[in-house]
Amino acid sequence: MTAFLLDVDTGIDDALALAYLAALPDTEFVSVTATPGNVDADQVARNTLALLELCGHPGVEVAIGSRAPLAIPLLTTPETHGPQGIGYAVLPEPAGAVSARNAVELWVEHARARPGELTALITAPLTNFALALRQEPRLPELLAKVVIMGGSFYYQGNTTPTAEWNTHVDPHAAKEVYAAFQGQPLDKLPIVCSLDTTERMELHPDHVRQLAEAAGAPDPELVLPDQPEGRRSTSGNTLIRHLSDALRFYFEFHRHYDQGYIAHVHDYFAAGVAAGTLDFEARPATVDVETVSTMLMGTTVADFRGLWGAPPNARVVSANYPEAAFGELVSAVGSLARRLG
């Protein structure tokens, strides 16, 4: 059993990551917290509640922490994920309610109550995690594993020429988080899934077709580049229908930015790393984040050779295996969709 503390900004690829973790037989959702990023924090929380219920996990505590980055105005991205954050999908109204408790306090409370047991996965800007580290500086020792989706090192940024989205939304939080891990043992350093490897996770229309087949959907699920934009799925399988509608929007976004009719599913890869189901390789590095230069705001820099004379504070993923990862995704989420019907 893997017990997760999750922080998300759901988000199409966050949604796929949540569906994947919900599909695994040994996932415990201890708490899922909402950070503003792809959409505002209240919409993130609603999306997350609705999706967890849709995936057969009602009753998970979903809480909101900060509603803005630490030091700069909030920037959201409706052009990438849609006005509600989940593309063309319209999720059912959740039966549960957002927790009245504060996300930051939940992280600290759970980590203190279960030292060495919890895996932290952050697929959002690092705002809530930075605030939790301010409140409990021992979090690096208390958590069993930390996985972060964010950053870009020897790779073009996806928000500015040098900056990745999550880090660009709250660079000050990211800088604090990496500083907090300075001097920790290697096995306690966060595993960082940056654009260098997450953009290798190119989901294609054929993967959507395979998901529907694995779910036992009676009709082929065809999301194709020559179809009209905004076309909605008619699949009789509820989960497949919602994922298909979300992913169609993502395919169209990537095509609008000349990347092809594909979807980079960054957060699914990070979820597989956190769950221990996807193979990868990583290198220790000292990571820092630019927070002063207007041109380079949110740029992440990794010193792999010790030139700064500072100990490593991260393990940066250097290799992954997309073909195997998509086989795992189709098998797990397809089986979940089949069970849910």
Side-chain angles (χ1 to χ4, degrees):
M1 177 71 70
T2 304
F4 283 99
L5 282 174
L6 294 167
D7 195 85
V8 296
D9 62 339
T10 317
I12 295 168
D13 53 334
D14 306 76
L16 193 63
L18 284 167
Y20 173 67
L21 293 177
L24 298 179
D26 57 353
T27 294
E28 177 190 357
F29 292 106
V30 176
S31 184
V32 184
T33 56
T35 290
N38 292 322
V39 286
D40 66 75
D42 293 279
Q43 186 68 53
V44 169
R46 183 204 171 279
N47 290 350
T48 303
L49 266 177
L51 188 76
L52 287 168
E53 291 178 7
L54 185 69
C55 291
H57 285 265
V60 175
E61 186 169 23
V62 174
I64 295 170
S66 177
R67 283 184 162 83
L70 296 184
I72 59 176
L74 174 62
L75 178 69
T76 59
T77 180
E79 73 281 358
T80 306
H81 294 269
Q84 294 182 311
I86 44 173
Y88 295 121
V90 180
L91 294 172
E93 194 64 30
V98 176
S99 175
R101 304 169 78 193
N102 182 275
V104 174
E105 293 172 0
L106 279 177
W107 271 70
V108 173
E109 177 185 313
H110 287 306
R112 286 173 175 168
R114 300 175 65 174
E117 294 183 23
L118 305 181
T119 292
L121 171 62
I122 305 106
T123 62
L126 289 167
T127 314
N128 282 339
F129 193 41
L131 291 170
L133 283 160
R134 287 182 184 181
Q135 194 173 124
E136 177 49 277
R138 295 182 303 138
L139 277 181
E141 296 96 50
L142 293 172
L143 295 168
K145 186 197 300 188
V146 177
V147 177
I148 294 169
M149 190 280 127
S152 180
F153 300 103
Y154 295 111
Y155 200 86
Q156 184 89 350
N158 64 355
T159 305
T160 73
T162 59
E164 174 274 333
W165 169 258
N166 283 338
T167 311
H168 187 261
V169 169
D170 198 342
H172 300 84
K175 190 177 185 74
E176 285 192 23
V177 166
Y178 289 117
F181 281 87
Q182 204 83 56
Q184 291 293 324
L186 189 64
D187 65 340
K188 288 294 187 180
L189 301 183
I191 301 168
V192 180
C193 303
S194 70
L195 295 183
D196 303 60
T197 47
T198 64
E199 287 216 340
R200 287 168 43 81
M201 302 300 298
E202 291 187 359
L203 189 141
H204 292 264
D206 198 52
H207 293 122
V208 180
R209 179 189 61 78
Q210 292 172 31
L211 272 171
E213 289 178 355
D219 299 313
E221 188 64 19
L222 302 177
V223 180
L224 302 173
D226 59 352
Q227 292 172 337
E229 291 198 351
R231 178 170 171 170
R232 300 290 297 279
S233 172
T234 58
S235 176
N237 185 287
T238 304
L239 182 57
I240 293 299
R241 185 170 67 252
H242 285 90
L243 291 178
S244 179
D245 284 344
L247 289 166
R248 182 185 293 275
F249 189 97
Y250 219 21
F251 289 145
E252 292 171 5
F253 162 77
H254 284 79
R255 180 169 62 183
H256 290 164
Y257 284 83
D258 300 321
Q259 298 179 72
Y261 202 71
I262 62 168
H264 290 129
V265 288
H266 315 274
D267 296 342
Y268 160 61
F269 173 64
V273 169
T277 53
L278 300 185
D279 291 331
F280 67 95
E281 297 170 29
R283 299 170 60 194
T286 307
V287 173
D288 206 344
V289 183
E290 176 58 47
T291 58
V292 177
S293 166
T294 302
M295 181 178 290
L296 299 177
M297 181 71 74
T299 299
T300 46
V301 181
D303 176 10
F304 291 102
R305 296 188 291 162
L307 299 177
W308 288 335
N313 58 7
R315 290 171 285 170
V316 177
V317 175
S318 56
N320 59 355
Y321 306 94
E323 185 176 354
F326 283 118
E328 167 68 11
L329 177 71
V330 167
S331 174
V333 177
S335 296
L336 173 65
R338 182 186 287 269
R339 292 196 302 272
L340 295 171

